[in-house]
DNA sequence: ACAAACTCTTGACTTGATCCAGTATTATGT
DNA sequence: ACATAATACTGGATCAAGTCAAGAGTTTGT
């Protein structure tokens, strides 16, 4: 099983209550902001500082254990679904975020028609639109 | 010809020195931040307030005259290349931004495999990697 | 030229995120 | 277990990007 503590150990990270809390919160609430995660962790282990949250999120994202997405005009979101190539749908009206699998296959978005000499290591795709709820309301 | 003043008039926007300056700056420096644009306009017409810059950029982006891209971890960038479907390459090391045409055709990125009931109106693609300069330096 | 509508300026403010120094916790070797 | 070195956490200050609001200044249409 993928015990959170083991997960941290495998990546050479010291195990702290804060990191475990952050990991749990990210798993429990996909597409949450750093602030929402801090709230969640607080309700679990009592308290955590904003810096510890950013610190943990940054480190986990760096190790590839969680993924960070940053939509225009709002705070960064974090999710624990990594390793597959999926993208995001964001509602312009209410901000709801949904996962969407890549349209063309496994990891195709990494191929641009002309890479201008860049070495590309990631493609980030955000689809903007209106979610079903906001469509019916309008 | 696409005289900037005519462009504004055609969209029902009053013509002001600030807006013309912003248009010129966006055309002159693709992928510039709001701050860089303000600097550029200042060197052209003497002075402009931050508010007027954001105001003009927001209005022009709303009318579709310019495009706004917001990479993770940096300020929003603006460019005047609109109407075609192109995406962006950003260097993780130095932040250089380059244009890249869409890999698959005219406007294909609008089709996700499963839209979850959303009505999609735009697809935003950012390729992350390392630019040629930073590659040779490393 | 005049009035109405709109825009610009100024300054304070909000939010997301980071930096820093000091304290507390974790991991490691005995 | 225990001591020690390394690492992480706390709290406060700080920064940067954007936004809000009120009054002064332009632009447009008649």
């Amino acid at each position: 099983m993928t015990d959170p503590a083991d997960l941290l150990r495998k990546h050479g990270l010291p195990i702290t209550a804060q990191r475990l809390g952050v990991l749990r919160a990210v798993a429990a609430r996909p597409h949450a902001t750093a602030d929402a995660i801090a709230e969640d962790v607080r309700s679990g282990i009592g308290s955590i500082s904003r810096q510890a949250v950013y610190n943990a999120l940054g480190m986990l994202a760096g190790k590839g254990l969680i993924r960070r997405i940053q939509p225009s005009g709002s705070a960064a979101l974090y999710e624990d679904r990594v390793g597959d190539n999926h993208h995001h749908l964001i509602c312009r009206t209410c901000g709801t975020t949904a996962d969407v699998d890549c349209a063309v296959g496994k990891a195709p978005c990494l191929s641009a028609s002309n890479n201008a000499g860049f070495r590309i290591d990631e493609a980030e795709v955000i689809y903007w639109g209106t979610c079903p709820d906001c469509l019916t309301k309008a």
Side-chain angles (χ1 to χ4, degrees), chain A residues 5-18:
Chain A
D6 277 347
L7 204 59
L8 291 176
R9 203 162 327 176
K10 279 197 186 97
H11 286 80
L13 297 172
I15 295 160
T16 66
Q18 290 82 356

Side-chain angles (χ1 to χ4, degrees), chain A residues 52-70:
Chain A
V53 174
Y54 281 116
N55 204 350
L57 289 172
M59 180 139 311
L60 294 171
K63 292 285 184 181
L65 299 183
I66 62 175
R67 194 168 145 193
R68 169 184 176 154
I69 54 182
Q70 171 136 15

Side-chain angles (χ1 to χ4, degrees), chain A residues 31 67 79 81 84-89 97-103 108-109 123-127:
Chain A
H31 311 137
R67 194 168 145 193
E79 65 182 353
R81 185 177 158 189
D84 63 344
N85 189 281
H86 79 278
H87 304 311
H88 296 96
L89 280 161
T97 303
D99 288 339
V100 60
D101 291 322
C102 197
C109 302
E124 187 179 8
V125 183
I126 296 181
Y127 298 97

